[in-house]
Amino acid sequence: MKRFSTLLALIIISLIIFTFSACAQEGGEEIKVFVDGLPVFTDVQPVIQNGRTLVPFRTIAEALNIKVSWDSAAQTVEASDDETLVRLQIDNKNAWRNGEVVPLDVPPVIIAGRTLIPLRFFSEAFNCNVLWDADTYRVDIMPYPKEMNVIGFYALGDSKTSSWTNLFRKAYPETGTGNTDVVDELALGWYSLDERGNLLTWSKTGWQRPAGWENVLRAAEEYSLKTEMTVHATDRYGTLSSLLAAKAASAGLIEALAEEAALYGGVNLNFEEFGYTGSSEFSNDLINKRQLLNEFVRRLSVELKTAGKSLTLTIHPPNSVYRGYDYEVLGEIADRIIIMAYDYGPKPEPLNLVAQAAEMAGEVVPPHKLILGICAPYETAESIVGKIGIARRFNLQGVAIWRLGLVTPEMWQRLRVNTL
């Protein structure tokens, strides 16, 4: 019943699109195409034929991670994902979806060496929702929501930015389903450390374990939310560099982390501002920093795996000024990496830089071990859709939101629609 309703809605929406598209073509306006909130750049513009919108198939299909092949002799194109196989032939008003014939209003055509196909067929074949904005001549193609892992950073706030209230939609200590249907895991930002390797539950940066923290763990268990203890530290004043270089201190910290992790499902190391450099060159100092961090993470991983605990790293992206993170090695050691793809300057965060971060990380780390970090106060309900789209486009495991307490109701709704 749900699939029938979706299909009926798609047909109605598509009819609306085609009507407005014809007007757009007559007015000479350029039709802009977005997939998952991200612009799709093509060397051939969408066109109108007989009142129907045709779009570049290969470019859009690849944006949706749909495989495409072309048979020049038969003039056919095939596209497939895990559930659907589509075949079209140039100038043929019949297409095939999983072997069944589907009549087309207009056939595929070749323009400037590119195959363009009817948007209506595309939307129905791959279960996409398609929206048309008549004011901006914009087509939004939204794929059927893909379930993604969502991590919420839980940190100390005030009465207006309470992580508890934002998550459970109840005043502490009461609980409710609230937004727990969206969040899968909690990264509990309660710990810090010093250069001597002491694990701290209070720090000047505001990272501290709140009174009644045990209630958070009980509530997380009640709503089947996984937990990791998150340890925050920066190298702004050389804290991390000093700690990692001191074998006794780092060994003591590993022991303390392994012991404290017994209360949680694992450890999340949020090591920031490590290996700052204004140059693309790798100095001996930077190489040494990378090796020290790699070795620390490797030793910690061994201890945690022995106890059946997970290890997550929350670190700056590979296209940041902090180059102390060897993504390839760290990706082999840790269970996953949260890419802090923010603090680039402009707000909301620029899509091109966030996408570049995801792409660069995915070149050396298996995508299923990567999670895209999103800083909620830097985004809007509209812009967060594009960030989720980047995680989807690069096949990442999911997204991590900094932080609970700062996620607006509108953002929650966009997360709910696009990740469940």
Side-chain angles (χ1 to χ4, degrees):
M1 186 67 180
K2 180 178 178 182
R3 184 169 292 276
F4 173 78
S5 300
T6 302
L7 179 59
L8 179 61
L10 286 172
I11 294 174
I12 294 172
I13 291 169
S14 296
L15 290 174
I16 295 172
I17 290 172
F18 302 142
T19 301
F20 280 108
S21 295
C23 295
Q25 183 78 359
E26 292 171 2
E29 298 287 348
E30 178 181 320
I31 300 172
K32 298 175 287 292
V33 180
F34 289 73
V35 173
D36 262 329
L38 304 174
V40 177
F41 301 103
T42 65
D43 50 5
V44 175
Q45 293 297 318
V47 300
I48 307 295
Q49 287 194 357
N50 298 326
R52 298 293 184 259
T53 304
L54 285 85
V55 295
F57 189 52
R58 178 180 291 272
T59 304
I60 294 174
E62 290 179 348
L64 288 166
N65 295 313
I66 295 171
K67 298 178 181 178
V68 176
S69 62
W70 165 253
D71 185 335
S72 58
Q75 294 279 284
T76 59
V77 62
E78 286 192 352
S80 62
D81 59 12
D82 294 335
E83 299 178 355
T84 303
L85 173 63
V86 165
R87 184 164 64 90
L88 303 100
Q89 187 174 41
I90 301 303
D91 295 328
N92 190 337
K93 294 185 72 172
N94 284 328
W96 292 264
R97 183 180 187 272
N98 292 335
E100 295 185 4
V101 176
V102 181
L104 302 175
D105 293 318
V106 293
V109 297
I110 294 180
I111 297 178
R114 298 290 182 263
T115 300
L116 277 69
I117 57 95
L119 179 59
R120 175 179 179 178
F121 173 76
F122 177 87
S123 65
E124 293 180 357
F126 289 99
N127 298 315
C128 292
N129 189 15
V130 183
L131 301 176
W132 167 256
D133 189 324
D135 294 328
T136 61
Y137 300 97
R138 168 172 168 158
V139 176
D140 272 281
I141 301 173
M142 305 300 293
Y144 193 76
K146 172 186 175 183
E147 186 173 353
M148 305 182 76
N149 190 28
V150 178
I151 299 174
F153 278 88
Y154 188 109
L156 191 65
D158 53 30
S159 59
K160 294 182 179 179
T161 63
S162 164
S163 290
W164 179 284
T165 303
N166 198 214
L167 178 61
F168 299 112
R169 296 180 68 180
K170 296 280 187 179
Y172 179 84
E174 295 183 24
T175 63
T177 301
N179 293 307
T180 59
D181 62 320
V182 179
V183 177
D184 301 289
E185 303 182 37
L186 298 180
L188 301 167
W190 295 346
Y191 296 89
S192 186
L193 51 83
D194 61 25
E195 66 277 4
R196 295 182 296 278
N198 295 311
L199 186 61
L200 310 176
T201 56
W202 179 91
S203 72
K204 296 179 181 179
T205 62
W207 284 67
Q208 52 188 286
R209 191 171 63 185
W213 59 271
E214 300 94 340
N215 291 330
V216 179
L217 295 183
R218 281 193 286 267
E221 183 176 5
E222 178 183 354
Y223 289 94
S224 301
L225 303 177
K226 298 178 182 178
T227 61
E228 285 188 332
M229 58 175 288
T230 304
V231 185
H232 173 261
T234 78
D235 201 39
R236 185 174 303 177
Y237 303 109
T239 300
L240 287 174
S241 296
S242 299
L243 169 62
L244 297 178
K247 292 185 177 181
S250 61
L253 176 60
I254 289 173
E255 183 179 349
L257 288 170
E259 181 179 351
E260 190 73 7
L263 300 171
Y264 310 92
V267 174
N268 183 328
L269 293 183
N270 179 204
F271 284 1
E272 298 187 22
E273 300 182 10
F274 191 66
Y276 172 81
T277 177
S279 170
S280 59
E281 300 295 327
F282 280 82
S283 64
N284 290 333
D285 180 62
L286 184 58
I287 293 173
N288 182 57
K289 285 179 182 292
R290 284 185 159 212
Q291 291 173 343
L292 287 173
L293 181 57
N294 291 345
E295 182 58 25
F296 177 84
V297 173
R298 183 176 287 107
R299 288 156 53 203
L300 176 60
S301 175
V302 171
E303 292 295 324
L304 293 177
K305 285 181 179 178
T306 301
K309 303 297 181 179
S310 59
L311 175 59
T312 299
L313 306 178
T314 300
I315 55 180
H316 290 285
N319 60 347
S320 77
V321 296
Y322 300 104
R323 307 291 299 282
Y325 311 99
D326 187 336
Y327 262 76
E328 184 171 6
V329 174
L330 294 175
E332 293 175 354
I333 302 170
D335 293 293
R336 57 194 178 174
I337 295 177
I338 296 176
I339 311 166
M340 295 171 56
Y342 40 84
D343 285 329
Y344 289 109
K347 306 294 181 290
E349 299 295 333
L351 286 173
N352 63 320
L353 293 179
V354 176
Q356 182 186 56
E359 183 176 21
M360 291 176 66
E363 289 175 350
V364 293
V365 180
H368 71 270
K369 297 181 74 172
L370 293 172
I371 295 170
L372 187 68
I374 301 174
C375 188
Y378 295 170
E379 303 293 340
T380 66
E382 291 73 26
S383 69
I384 205 170
V385 174
K387 305 309 186 296
I388 297 171
I390 289 173
R392 190 201 310 271
R393 180 170 295 186
F394 290 97
N395 291 314
L396 307 191
Q397 181 190 130
V399 296
I401 310 298
W402 174 265
R403 69 170 174 79
L404 301 179
L406 302 175
V407 184
T408 67
E410 294 78 15
M411 287 181 179
W412 279 120
Q413 186 55 28
R414 299 301 176 92
L415 285 164
R416 184 171 284 108
V417 168
N418 289 280
T419 63
L420 295 180

